[in-house]
Amino acid sequence: MITVDLHTHTIASGHGSTATIGQMARAASERGLRLLGISDHGPATPGAAFSSYFQNLAFAPREHFGVRLLYGVEANILDGGGLDLDNSVLARLDYVIASMHRPPRSVIYHGRDDIEAYRDRNTKDYIEAMSNPLVRIIGHPDNSQFPYCVHRLTDAAAECKVILEVNEASLGPDGYHRVAGLDTEQNYRILIKLCKKKGIPLLISSDSHGPDRIGQADRALFLLREQDFPRDLLVNEHPELLSVPRQPWRSSRPAQTGPDTGALPLS
């Protein structure tokens, strides 16, 4: 179990949940969470709430059933790297997770074609999304439907001070983002190793759609313990990492494609 869970979904996400914010908070309280983040899908997700919902979260309660509440969004990274909510709306939220989903993205990898063209396109779009200084977290970067270059992504995350997520829902046997022949666990092992080397914070999330899986993250925790990932870089242990000032990506900098060098020292 984790006591800080920032990637969860209510009925406002339009699929997989009929739960209200209050019901989510009650479940979090019963499981001993101290901080719950509500991060419903952005409006490009079919059936999700309109931008007015996210604007009105400014008036939602900050504590419920003894649990502190934060309000964010899981914004969709569109083709080209833009997001599906205006910055004027994103700026009103406590944090922004940016993730790839289909829909709304138009191209998905099924494990049959040459993977390199997919990697290049998706990596560029991730980096473009991270250039938005309101983006705090990249959601489920394990997603084999959207392969990317892990070296370029982690270089950009280190440059921008963006947090990367280890998503429990992806790791389950019914994982949302699996592609036959590609290994979600191994994707994460490589990502965690590079984040440890480069000093990039990680966030463990349940990605619970509704209350059933709030706080559950055994598989994700196992992978971080396996690689002895430092606790001072874990957002679940140090939520104040959400407030570290962002630095926009310098798009003119050549992207690194070879072996990683120049890792940040870890305390």
Side-chain angles (χ1 to χ4, degrees), residues 201-235:
L202 289 176
L203 171 70
I204 298 174
S205 301
S206 71
D207 198 357
S208 184
H209 286 62
D212 292 348
R213 298 184 181 183
I214 287 175
Q216 294 182 11
D218 289 348
R219 296 177 179 89
L221 285 167
F222 174 81
L223 290 177
L224 268 70
R225 289 169 181 152
E226 181 183 65
Q227 298 202 41
D228 194 26
F229 190 80
R231 294 179 66 175
D232 60 352
L233 288 174
L234 190 59
V235 177

Side-chain angles (χ1 to χ4, degrees), residues 20-163:
T20 64
I21 291 172
Q23 289 168 328
M24 300 286 281
R26 181 188 290 274
S29 177
E30 291 171 351
R31 293 171 197 174
L33 270 69
R34 59 190 175 96
L35 179 60
L36 175 68
I38 303 295
S39 56
D40 284 306
H41 286 295
T45 297
F50 298 121
S51 62
S52 57
Y53 164 78
F54 297 98
Q55 292 173 310
N56 288 330
L57 288 173
F59 305 104
R62 286 293 172 175
E63 185 172 322
H64 212 18
F65 299 106
V67 178
R68 182 184 167 207
L69 296 173
L70 294 179
Y71 298 99
V73 62
E74 186 181 15
N76 288 287
I77 301 176
L78 307 173
D79 293 340
L83 304 180
D84 62 338
L85 279 174
D86 291 340
N87 280 359
S88 61
V89 178
L90 298 177
R92 297 169 64 94
L93 300 171
D94 294 317
Y95 59 97
V96 176
I97 303 171
S99 304
M100 291 190 177
H101 301 98
R102 182 175 182 266
R105 290 183 67 80
S106 63
V107 178
I108 186 171
Y109 182 68
H110 294 285
R112 295 187 295 271
D113 304 318
D114 180 7
I115 198 172
E116 291 307 319
Y118 292 84
R119 280 200 180 110
D120 185 61
R121 173 180 179 150
N122 294 326
T123 303
K124 288 177 178 175
D125 284 2
Y126 270 128
I127 291 173
E128 179 63 25
M130 283 191 278
S131 74
N132 185 330
L134 295 173
V135 172
R136 288 266 21 133
I137 301 158
I138 293 295
H140 47 69
D142 60 88
N143 194 333
S144 296
Q145 298 169 327
F146 303 108
Y148 62 89
C149 175
V150 68
H151 299 286
R152 291 165 61 192
L153 181 81
T154 51
D155 278 349
E159 176 80 12
C160 295
K161 301 191 185 317
V162 167
I163 297 158

